Amino acid sequence: MRKYIGLAFLVLSGIACKQKSNILYQSGAFSVYPDKVVQGDYEARAISPEKIVSNYRSTASENYSRLLSFKFSINEKDNECPSGMDHQLIIGDEHESPVIRFGQQDPAPLNDPGTKLPVNYAYTFRVDMTPVLDQFKEKGYYEAFDGSRVAREDFKAVYIAGGSEPLTWDFSNLDENGLALKDPDGDGIYELKVVLNPFDASQNAVKEWTLAEDVSMKPTYCSDQPLVDALYNLSLEEARKNIEPDSTLRTGAQWGGVWTRDVSYSTLLAFAYHEPEVAKISLLRKVKRDRIIQDTGSGGAWPVSSDRVAWSLAAWEIYKVTGDRQWLKKAYQIIKNTLEDDSKTLKDGQTGMYRGESSFLDWREQTYPKWMSNMDIYSSENLGTNVVHYQAHIIVAEMAKLLGEPYQEYLGQAREIKDGINQHLWMEDKGYYGQYLYGRAFMSRSTRFEALGEALAVLFGVADPEQAQSIMEHAPVTAFGTTCIYPQIPGIPPYHNNAIWPFVQSYWNLAAAKAGNERALLHGLAAIYRAGALFLTNYENFVAQTGDYAGTEINSDRMLWSMAGNLAMVYRVFMGISFETNGIRFHPVVPQAYSGTRTLSNFKYRQAILSVTVKGFGKEIASATIDGQPLDDNFLPASVSGEHRIEIVMDNQYFGGNSINEVPNKFSLPTPLTKLEGSKITWPEISGAVLYKVICNGKPVQSVGGNTFDVNPDQFGEYQVIAVNSDSLESFASEPILVYPPKSGQIVEVENFVPKSDLLYTNYSGKGFVEISPSENREITVPVNVSSPGKYLIDIRYSNGTGPWNTDNNCAIRSLYVNKTYQGVLVFPQRGTGEWSDWGFSNACQVELPAGKNELRISFQDWNINMDGEINQAMLDYVRLIKME
């Protein structure tokens, strides 16, 4: 009998679909209907609110080129050849590469033959490591193309990196991906056998999702768009599955544990309401010493990565949902302590903004030029990270007001950050914000678009209403959605680069709804619903170029913030639920294509159980009632209790008059590789460049058609070059070249004033080096003499072998005092586990020095405690001073 009922349901569904043939969204790439998504030959259909069927399959294996680009790597670092100079092979019928000499550059780029490699193709790569091994014997180290050195005792393994699966350009995880080559016979030829174009035939099968978890305790959503209803239920189920036995929120099917930014952005989107108690437990897992934990990351986490204050967004949202006074008190103290440390460590006194890595975009070369070290990333000032710091200060001020604590100081700091963002990152000619400030002695603005930062700027009011409209109209969006950044970076595989993340798209959609741009909202909703329906899960990301889930460096199904974004489209957009400290304000935003009746029932809010119905379309409410009586100001007080029915009727006014800037998914040119030759800066010509912008001291000084630029070697200047193509898309600026007369610089050996270490590391200068740690040399005083007064750059050559360069939490931090005045922090990021003979420079501080004797004090202060809390160690070689003016 059940079979016949099911058959009848399918027939009725088909009839209903024919009756409701309106299209929600249509483009040259795909179409979204009320009950299905169509992309070429692929279709996903909502059979019922509890079942979706999809015949989608990835085409990645069908497009696997015989042309391979790759590099070899020592110790998981990009140290064989300069950026963009990869090895290339066209695989014919052979299953073994020629022996490639490490460091030897290929004669000329190869052209893609257009033919594809068969699936599951066994192939062996071979590299001759004798150039490295010979230098180990002769010098005790290998010197790479960029002057960096690998000490013989630090050598761990040689790896292969590349863009063809199973190869990866993720240098930091080459070992984890099994990409180490071996030399079994000791002849210096290292080999690795892999299976190229791996393919699982089961991926071709038609797939379906059927609701299996009990979600009856959650709100029920029903609308005239069965596809949206089914994806809502799919997300409810995945949310249940992501609650761990210890009552924390799992980050994704492939990502175990709680991550600060993931759980924070997810909580703000949906989980503050959806699972407030679980969200609280999860957030408290990310607290130590009554301060927010920055997840393991670049160079040893905080302060290189500095977006931990996203936690405050989630904590505040939980309070607004629950009204829990004890939670408010606890969260306030945690956020307050964190902001105090951040202010001393991250704040740039000149711009008013905060330093540190892009919020969520935490995979270095995926969104930064390859020349930027972790020290450089710490020194940069990113849009998204600063918007989050702005909002954290607004939140702590609001918390302080409620608790009767002083709050004006926080509002003042928030204003400084907001003013800095609008002064230094807003691009009037483009109509949206730039990505970040970056450089070394001087900062310039990256003109790339960064989706999450732009969306948060709209949502949190950093952008005024006019700017918000401009962002939605002028920011570039692509066929499959809003990319994390634009334009894409050449030679970098999809992950943050050349990718769309559903949670970022969700924030973009919320910003579009707030700005009242119907076209932007329609485009963004389609991006989320296409991916969810075709893939039958809330994936972490997908490739912007193809819209495929396969092809990004890492991709997890059942991703927490992706499902949160899906739920938020119902709660926050269609139903217009906005939590305030004393109630709920309703402001639905419904595009005309999604018109109809939608109901959210069993919606539990504090002491009330609500059934909310929204009718019609538009961005303004015509009427709102509760139990048949007017709902004043569309606001439900938090004091309400019991069961209530709320009905909202929209004004049925089209609000799609604004435009969007849909563009092809384009790539910038590569970053120029500059070098100083005498009094000229030179760089190889870049194919496709129509001109080169020369930057001096953070400002453009000239555009040139050739590939040289004359400089004055007797005058201080920091130079960079940007390549511009015919679309006026800019590359990243090249690595800064510092030009100054020799007399303007001096080196002061630290071991001349502090007992040197007896550790047996190499490649240092002078007579040795000095160890610093919480127990060794907590305070060091170094006297320096300068012949003339002026502004000086001060940095320190150091090593830090406490962890890998890409993760962990042991970034060393010290406070710098000059003549007893605090100047900021010196940051010593990790450079490789056990690689204590790998030396580099800290960030530089700009200080005014009088002529004569000056005192530098390098001190370990409370705000220098890192995320590890105990390991805070580095070796100091020398102090470098350069007179700027």
Side-chain angles (χ1 to χ4, degrees):
M1 181 66 180
R2 291 177 65 188
K3 182 186 294 184
Y4 295 114
I5 293 173
L7 180 60
F9 179 82
L10 291 177
V11 171
L12 289 172
S13 295
I15 293 171
C17 179
K18 290 179 182 177
Q19 291 173 341
K20 296 176 183 281
S21 59
N22 58 303
I23 296 175
L24 302 179
Y25 175 83
Q26 188 169 39
S27 72
F30 65 95
S31 298
V32 180
Y33 298 82
D35 68 334
K36 65 181 179 179
V37 172
V38 178
Q39 181 179 318
D41 295 331
Y42 303 127
E43 180 177 297
R45 183 183 293 270
I47 305 302
S48 77
E50 299 179 0
K51 184 174 182 178
I52 307 173
V53 175
S54 173
N55 69 348
Y56 183 83
R57 61 184 178 83
S58 171
T59 58
S61 63
E62 298 172 11
N63 297 307
Y64 196 106
S65 175
R66 289 181 179 271
L67 175 63
L68 270 61
S69 295
F70 58 95
K71 274 184 178 179
F72 298 104
S73 159
I74 298 174
N75 294 353
E76 298 184 285
K77 294 183 179 178
D78 188 0
N79 51 13
E80 186 197 8
C81 297
S83 176
M85 296 184 181
D86 306 331
H87 299 297
Q88 289 186 308
L89 285 174
I90 295 175
I91 299 177
D93 296 326
E94 77 282 2
H95 289 264
E96 184 177 76
S97 78
V99 176
I100 300 167
R101 190 172 174 85
F102 187 92
Q104 182 173 304
Q105 297 179 13
D106 291 0
L110 301 176
N111 295 319
D112 192 329
T115 55
K116 309 304 176 185
L117 193 70
V119 299
N120 300 323
Y121 194 89
Y123 196 80
T124 299
F125 290 94
R126 300 185 294 167
V127 60
D128 179 3
M129 290 295 290
T130 54
V132 177
L133 301 176
D134 287 348
Q135 284 199 37
F136 282 163
K137 291 177 183 176
E138 295 167 8
K139 304 178 181 178
Y141 60 84
Y142 171 73
E143 186 164 340
F145 68 91
D146 59 357
S148 63
R149 295 176 178 181
V150 180
R152 178 175 53 204
E153 58 270 23
D154 289 347
F155 176 69
K156 299 185 188 74
V158 59
Y159 301 88
I160 185 169
S164 302
E165 196 178 2
L167 305 186
T168 173
W169 286 116
D170 178 13
F171 284 88
S172 56
N173 287 304
L174 296 176
D175 192 70
E176 182 179 314
N177 283 286
L179 296 174
L181 291 84
K182 305 295 183 184
D183 180 13
D185 55 9
D187 64 351
I189 308 300
Y190 286 67
E191 300 180 351
L192 175 67
K193 183 177 182 179
V194 299
V195 176
L196 298 172
N197 199 10
F199 177 70
D200 179 359
S202 67
Q203 296 299 312
N204 284 335
V206 175
K207 300 177 182 64
E208 66 177 51
W209 164 80
T210 301
L211 182 66
E213 293 277 325
D214 179 12
V215 295
S216 61
M217 74 294 296
K218 296 300 177 185
T220 301
Y221 180 72
C222 181
S223 73
D224 291 336
Q225 293 84 40
L227 181 73
V228 178
D229 300 357
L231 288 171
Y232 172 82
N233 287 330
L234 181 152
S235 299
L236 286 183
E237 179 176 67
E238 293 196 333
R240 294 284 294 168
K241 290 180 176 179
N242 272 36
I243 299 177
E244 298 279 43
D246 64 354
S247 296
T248 60
L249 289 167
R250 184 180 180 87
T251 300
Q254 314 304 318
W255 289 101
V258 182
W259 292 73
T260 302
R261 68 174 64 91
D262 297 59
V263 76
S264 299
Y265 283 126
S266 301
T267 298
L268 177 58
L269 282 169
F271 282 94
Y273 164 72
H274 196 69
E275 294 286 354
E277 295 307 314
V278 175
K280 285 181 190 176
I281 294 168
S282 301
L283 288 175
L284 291 177
R285 288 290 176 89
K286 308 308 297 184
V287 174
K288 185 178 182 180
R289 298 174 48 249
D290 265 350
R291 287 159 173 81
I292 304 164
I293 295 172
Q294 182 76 45
D295 291 319
T296 57
S298 301
W302 186 83
V304 176
S305 300
S306 61
D307 68 340
R308 58 180 177 162
V309 291
W311 191 97
S312 62
L313 313 178
W316 180 235
E317 192 70 11
I318 288 173
Y319 173 70
K320 290 193 293 182
V321 170
T322 64
D324 184 339
R325 190 81 176 176
Q326 289 304 116
W327 173 255
L328 177 69
K329 292 177 181 178
K330 188 174 189 66
Y332 168 71
Q333 193 60 52
I334 291 167
I335 298 168
K336 179 175 179 286
N337 293 343
T338 302
L339 292 182
E340 286 174 359
D341 287 355
D342 281 354
S343 178
K344 294 185 179 77
T345 305
L346 304 173
K347 187 173 181 179
D348 180 341
Q350 294 183 327
T351 65
M353 295 197 295
Y354 280 48
R355 300 181 177 95
E357 192 168 43
S358 305
S359 183
F360 131 79
L361 301 171
D362 61 339
W363 190 337
R364 298 148 304 280
E365 66 271 17
Q366 283 283 333
T367 49
Y368 291 92
K370 282 195 171 184
W371 59 262
M372 286 183 72
S373 68
N374 289 317
M375 171 275 291
D376 295 311
I377 292 174
Y378 160 75
S379 300
S380 66
E381 300 174 27
N382 168 259
L383 171 64
T385 299
N386 271 280
V387 173
V388 172
H389 277 280
Y390 163 80
Q391 188 65 6
H393 282 85
I394 295 293
I395 285 168
V396 81
E398 290 297 317
M399 288 180 164
K401 273 195 249 181
L402 289 170
L403 295 170
E405 299 284 342
Y407 64 89
Q408 291 293 348
E409 179 183 353
Y410 300 115
L411 293 179
Q413 291 173 347
R415 280 192 296 271
E416 283 188 58
I417 298 169
K418 179 178 178 177
D419 290 346
I421 294 170
N422 283 306
Q423 179 181 346
H424 296 285
L425 291 177
W426 180 255
M427 300 184 294
E428 192 66 40
D429 59 328
K430 293 184 179 293
Y432 52 87
Y433 293 101
Q435 183 183 17
Y436 45 62
L437 301 182
Y438 67 132
R440 284 194 181 139
F442 295 90
M443 297 286 166
S444 61
R445 181 177 57 210
S446 168
T447 58
R448 272 183 167 81
F449 160 80
E450 186 225 302
L452 181 61
E454 307 277 354
L456 296 179
V458 172
L459 291 170
F460 298 152
V462 171
D464 63 31
E466 184 179 342
Q467 287 174 309
Q469 291 284 355
S470 178
I471 290 167
M472 287 298 137
E473 292 183 8
H474 296 106
V477 297
T478 65
F480 290 107
T482 307
T483 56
C484 293
I485 61 169
Y486 189 93
Q488 313 309 324
I489 307 170
I492 300 297
Y495 186 63
H496 295 136
N497 186 58
N498 191 20
I500 295 162
W501 286 58
F503 102 89
V504 175
Q505 185 69 65
S506 299
Y507 276 105
W508 184 259
N509 294 355
L510 294 177
K514 180 179 179 181
N517 190 314
E518 184 168 352
R519 292 184 62 187
L521 182 56
L522 279 170
H523 178 268
L525 289 169
I528 288 176
Y529 293 145
R530 180 201 73 90
L534 290 176
F535 307 156
L536 298 177
T537 185
N538 288 289
Y539 263 121
E540 181 177 2
N541 51 53
F542 53 89
V543 180
Q545 200 80 353
T546 62
D548 194 1
Y549 65 83
T552 64
E553 289 287 87
I554 303 170
N555 201 1
S556 176
D557 58 321
R558 219 175 73 219
M559 198 70 180
L560 186 71
W561 48 18
S562 299
M563 67 183 75
N566 214 315
L567 294 171
M569 296 305 96
V570 168
Y571 297 148
R572 297 189 177 278
V573 178
F574 294 137
M575 307 311 296
I577 294 169
S578 178
F579 295 100
E580 298 182 7
T581 57
N582 58 344
I584 296 176
R585 194 170 303 281
F586 291 94
H587 187 190
V589 180
V590 183
Q592 186 173 13
Y594 286 81
S595 182
T597 299
R598 64 199 74 246
T599 298
L600 189 68
S601 54
N602 193 35
F603 186 84
K604 298 170 184 174
Y605 171 66
R606 300 196 186 183
Q607 302 303 312
I609 301 175
L610 308 176
S611 175
V612 184
T613 298
V614 176
K615 295 181 177 180
F617 67 92
K619 64 183 179 70
E620 300 297 338
I621 294 174
S623 67
T625 61
I626 178 168
D627 302 326
Q629 300 300 312
L631 184 63
D632 294 338
D633 202 24
N634 310 318
F635 184 77
L636 180 74
S639 58
V640 71
S641 62
E643 296 187 13
H644 299 277
R645 299 185 65 84
I646 294 172
E647 183 173 290
I648 297 170
V649 179
M650 305 304 293
D651 66 357
N652 288 338
Q653 295 297 308
Y654 175 66
F655 58 99
N658 295 328
S659 62
I660 61 172
N661 181 27
E662 186 171 344
V663 296
N665 187 41
K666 292 186 177 182
F667 290 72
S668 73
L669 294 174
T671 305
L673 300 173
T674 54
K675 60 182 177 180
L676 182 63
E677 297 181 329
S679 61
K680 289 182 182 292
I681 293 176
T682 67
W683 58 92
E685 291 186 4
I686 296 175
S687 177
V690 296
L691 60 90
Y692 301 94
K693 287 185 179 179
V694 179
I695 308 294
C696 180
N697 297 344
K699 305 292 183 186
V701 291
Q702 192 172 335
S703 294
V704 299
N707 60 335
T708 64
F709 183 78
D710 292 327
V711 299
N712 182 354
D714 295 322
Q715 183 176 335
F716 180 95
E718 185 177 72
Y719 293 89
Q720 296 174 278
V721 176
I722 294 171
V724 184
N725 69 11
S726 57
D727 293 319
S728 298
L729 297 178
E730 295 185 356
S731 74
F732 282 127
S734 61
E735 181 169 9
I737 291 179
L738 205 55
V739 177
Y740 58 93
K743 65 180 181 180
S744 293
Q746 66 168 299
I747 286 173
V748 181
E749 295 286 352
V750 180
E751 70 274 13
N752 291 342
F753 306 97
V754 183
K756 68 178 182 178
S757 170
D758 58 3
L759 293 166
L760 301 178
Y761 305 143
T762 61
N763 293 336
Y764 54 84
S765 75
K767 297 177 290 186
F769 53 88
V770 172
E771 178 184 1
I772 57 170
S773 73
S775 59
E776 294 284 333
N777 296 312
R778 287 176 63 96
E779 187 161 291
I780 290 174
T781 300
V782 179
V784 296
N785 281 284
V786 295
S787 58
S788 59
K791 183 181 288 186
Y792 286 78
L793 280 176
I794 298 177
D795 59 8
I796 297 181
R797 189 172 189 252
Y798 80 98
S799 73
N800 181 346
T802 61
W805 58 272
N806 65 301
T807 188
D808 222 327
N809 57 4
N810 302 327
C811 182
I813 313 161
R814 294 296 182 272
S815 294
L816 175 65
Y817 293 83
V818 177
N819 299 328
K820 296 183 170 55
T821 301
Y822 179 62
Q823 299 291 337
V825 297
L826 292 167
V827 176
F828 308 106
Q830 298 163 191
R831 297 183 61 83
T833 303
E835 296 178 40
W836 289 101
S837 297
D838 182 347
W839 302 84
F841 285 97
S842 71
N843 62 303
C845 292
Q846 297 185 21
V847 300
E848 292 285 345
L849 296 180
K853 186 176 180 180
N854 293 268
E855 179 187 89
L856 308 184
R857 182 160 57 92
I858 302 161
S859 177
F860 184 63
Q861 301 290 340
D862 288 346
W863 60 88
N864 302 146
I865 297 173
N866 61 16
M867 294 299 101
D868 180 89
E870 296 180 9
I871 300 173
N872 199 320
Q873 181 184 22
M875 307 298 150
L876 307 187
D877 189 9
Y878 60 74
V879 175
R880 181 173 63 172
L881 292 89
I882 301 172
K883 190 173 189 298
M884 301 173 65
E885 57 185 41

